[in-house]
Amino acid sequence: MEIVRTVAALRARVRAWQAEGLNVALVPTMGALHHGHLSLVRLGLTCADRAVATIFVNPTQFGAGEDLSAYPRDEASDAQMLRDAGCHLLFAPPLAEVYPPGFATRVIVDGLTDCLCGAARPGHFDGVAQVVTKLLNQAGADFAVFGEKDWQQLAIIRRLTRDLDIATRILGAPILREADGLAMSSRNRYLSDAERAVAGHLSRVLREVAAQLSADAPIAESVTAAERTLLDLGFQTVDYVEARAAETLAPWKGSGAPAGRVFAAAWLGRARLIDNFPIPQTPGSG
Ligand code: AMP
């Protein structure tokens, strides 16, 4: 697996493959890789002949006081994991390659970015939209793979590629979980042993809410009860538990409405954990 650090080298490699008639899948990451990231590479390789991973800890998506400087970085180990997963190229640019002096353009996706994590992390999705737009344009890949773990991010990226006529096809990858249900995340390494023991409850509680809502339990009462349960279990703060329409992220209106998902974000020590589950659709629902 070759490692390139400039946009010119990335583009040249991808174009050369495409000129040979090969399809290319892009897998953007911030590094500190785990099996969830590698599942994205594998999914990309089911559609494409070549996989290109990117590692870039994007400063514009971190708010003041967030964990930008503490974010785990280990390129050598990440590169080995990518190699073992069959990845063909790694793009790991320095900061100035992505944001050279004078850089001034922002990408704002209205509506989808204000709720859920966007409410708790103002500006976060503007930074995500900015860097993902750049990476998609830089690579010119046929496919790009993003995880359903960051469902709101995936919805925003689908929207911006449609709105900005970016030809790369966006693929969503299922959430990879630990044995107790905890969604794999680079930030899980912030958890102490005691916090790790609590963390698995997030997915269990969310799955239970999804099942209750599927059986027509009242929405407001169910999500409020779930927030209380998470606090009782030891989460310090619950940013939100909410039921929203899967595609538009508008508040979910109940069975009969378009497909819904339950979403949550909660803090354990230094780690802000997020997760989401589909609300199972009962026969005859929309
Ligand atoms: P990150 O490095 O955290 O920015 O994540 C890079 C990509 O991996 C994003 O598209 C994430 O949604 C995806 N991802 C992270 N964790 C998981 C997981 N547990 N399962 C599936 N995809 C994931």
Side-chain angles (χ1 to χ4, degrees), residues 125-247:
F125 288 118
D126 300 343
V128 170
Q130 180 181 53
V131 79
V132 170
T133 302
K134 284 176 65 72
L135 289 168
L136 293 174
N137 282 332
Q138 288 166 350
D142 302 278
F143 302 91
V145 193
F146 295 87
E148 292 182 350
K149 168 166 179 285
D150 300 276
W151 185 275
Q152 184 175 15
Q153 168 175 287
L154 178 59
I156 290 164
I157 292 165
R158 288 192 195 283
R159 183 76 259 161
L160 79 81
T161 51
R162 282 201 291 268
D163 290 353
L164 300 179
D165 307 303
I166 295 173
T168 305
R169 271 189 55 195
I170 305 302
L171 306 175
I175 303 174
L176 231 72
R177 300 178 177 280
E178 305 286 358
D180 66 349
L182 175 65
M184 292 184 187
S185 165
S186 305
R187 289 186 166 104
N188 290 352
R189 59 185 81 181
Y190 296 158
L191 297 168
S192 67
D193 289 349
E195 289 160 355
R196 175 65 191 83
V198 173
H201 290 297
L202 180 62
S203 64
R204 180 181 58 75
V205 169
L206 261 194
R207 197 173 324 111
E208 285 168 8
V209 179
Q212 290 160 11
L213 296 182
S214 170
D216 285 332
I219 299 170
E221 284 84 344
S222 301
V223 300
T224 305
E227 288 181 359
R228 225 177 10 250
T229 303
L230 290 171
L231 292 171
D232 290 346
L233 285 165
F235 288 86
Q236 284 117 340
T237 314
V238 178
D239 282 351
Y240 59 81
V241 177
E242 289 188 41
R244 292 197 168 249
E247 192 180 337

